[in-house]
């Protein structure tokens, strides 16, 4: 898989970029790829890929996000969703490891979402601590102190499968309670490049793992 982060490209993400051969037609990147850039986000209800969000009238807006568009060939949608989880894992690791030590928050995954949990703002149940709260899996952006850092979706085209993921650079314009790289003290370009490169390497390792095993009866 090829990784390309275009720090000088700032095209508004409106979901039209989540289509087959976008990276090839616009940047000459052919084959499995992850393309990243920083730009505002405006996905109106009619353009939402996630139809659950569309049904519940949840448009997505942000003044600035790190965007990733991933294209993978020769796989099905279930595998693409698993790759989406892999990408979210690298996005969470990047936020966790790059955040300023002065920022008191935990970076956790909930399904395909990356969250920043701020313990000083969370109302824990009696006798509960942060570890128990995280293990309960009940955190959501509607709960004070649980701030959503990312959005992502996986889908399919007739020739490939695709992922879009966005990480907030700032919280300006977001319609729900969110966290952002600026509040974590993270440089968005360094973060964007690191996540793209590590996801691409990890995806290649997944493919390599399929080529070194013998069949079993």
């Amino acid at each position: 898989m090829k990784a390309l982060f275009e720090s000088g490209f700032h095209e508004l993400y409106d979901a039209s970029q989540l289509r087959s051969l976008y990276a090839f037609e616009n940047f000459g990147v052919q084959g499995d790829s992850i393309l990243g850039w920083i730009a505002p986000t405006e996905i109106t209800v009619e353009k939402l890929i996630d139809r659950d969000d569309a049904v519940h009238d949840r448009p997505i807006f942000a003044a600035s996000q790190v965007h990733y568009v991933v294209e993978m060939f020769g796989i099905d949608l279930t595998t693409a969703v698993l790759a989406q989880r892999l990408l979210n894992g690298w996005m969470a690791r990047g936020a966790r490891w790059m955040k300023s030590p002065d920022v008191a928050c935990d970076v956790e995954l909930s399904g395909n979402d990356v969250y920043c949990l701020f313990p000083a703002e969370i109302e824990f149940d009696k006798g509960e601590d942060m570890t128990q709260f995280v293990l309960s899996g009940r955190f959501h952006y509607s709960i004070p102190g649980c701030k959503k850092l990312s959005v992502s979706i996986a889908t399919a085209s007739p020739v490939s499968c695709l992922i879009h993921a966005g990480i907030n650079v700032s919280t300006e314009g977001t319609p729900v309670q969110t966290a952002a790289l600026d509040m974590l003290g993270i440089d968005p370009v360094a973060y964007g490049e690191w996540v793209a490169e590590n996801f691409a390497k990890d995806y290649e390792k997944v493919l390599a793992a399929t080529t070194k095993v013998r069949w079993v009866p």
Side-chain angles (χ1 to χ4, degrees):
M1 175 173 285
K2 303 176 184 74
L4 176 65
F5 192 85
E6 284 287 335
S7 59
F9 179 66
H10 302 291
E11 181 178 85
L12 170 77
Y13 183 81
D14 62 3
S16 64
Q17 298 88 347
L18 194 61
R19 59 178 173 82
S20 56
L21 305 184
Y22 178 79
F24 180 45
E25 292 174 351
N26 290 275
F27 299 97
V29 181
Q30 187 174 355
D32 293 346
S33 64
I34 176 168
L35 170 68
W37 74 98
I38 299 172
T41 304
E42 183 177 341
I43 309 174
T44 56
V45 169
E46 61 271 16
K47 292 183 178 180
L48 285 166
I49 305 298
D50 189 328
R51 302 319 292 168
D52 181 63
D53 283 342
V55 167
H56 292 93
D57 193 24
R58 295 191 293 250
I60 300 172
F61 300 98
S64 182
Q65 288 187 322
V66 175
H67 294 284
Y68 298 108
V69 169
V70 180
E71 185 166 24
M72 300 157 291
F73 295 85
I75 66 170
D76 61 16
L77 185 54
T78 299
T79 307
V81 172
L82 292 171
Q84 179 191 9
R85 299 288 176 114
L86 185 68
L87 176 57
N88 274 269
W90 282 108
M91 293 193 301
R93 289 186 189 98
R96 187 180 301 123
W97 295 340
M98 292 183 181
K99 76 178 182 69
S100 168
D102 298 328
V103 179
C105 80
D106 286 2
V107 180
E108 300 290 344
L109 279 169
S110 177
N112 278 320
D113 295 317
V114 182
Y115 274 85
C116 291
L117 308 179
F118 293 83
E121 301 175 32
I122 297 172
E123 295 183 4
F124 297 112
D125 290 342
K126 185 177 181 180
E128 186 180 49
D129 59 15
M130 176 61 85
T131 299
Q132 293 168 323
F133 179 74
V134 171
L135 290 174
S136 75
R138 72 176 191 273
F139 50 89
H140 187 266
Y141 57 76
S142 61
I143 299 173
C146 302
K147 301 182 180 183
K148 199 167 182 282
L149 185 60
S150 72
V151 294
S152 69
I153 192 68
T155 190
S157 82
V159 299
S160 64
C161 282
L162 301 147
I163 300 167
H164 169 256
I167 286 277
N168 299 320
V169 174
S170 74
T171 59
E172 181 185 352
T174 58
V176 299
Q177 181 181 213
T178 55
L181 297 180
D182 62 0
M183 71 168 56
L184 302 180
I186 297 174
D187 177 84
V189 173
Y191 173 91
E193 291 174 343
W194 185 89
V195 170
E197 290 170 3
N198 279 280
F199 169 76
K201 290 176 184 176
D202 212 7
Y203 187 79
E204 285 298 318
K205 290 177 182 178
V206 170
L207 297 183
T210 69
T211 67
K212 66 181 185 67
V213 294
R214 66 173 180 85
W215 65 272
V216 294

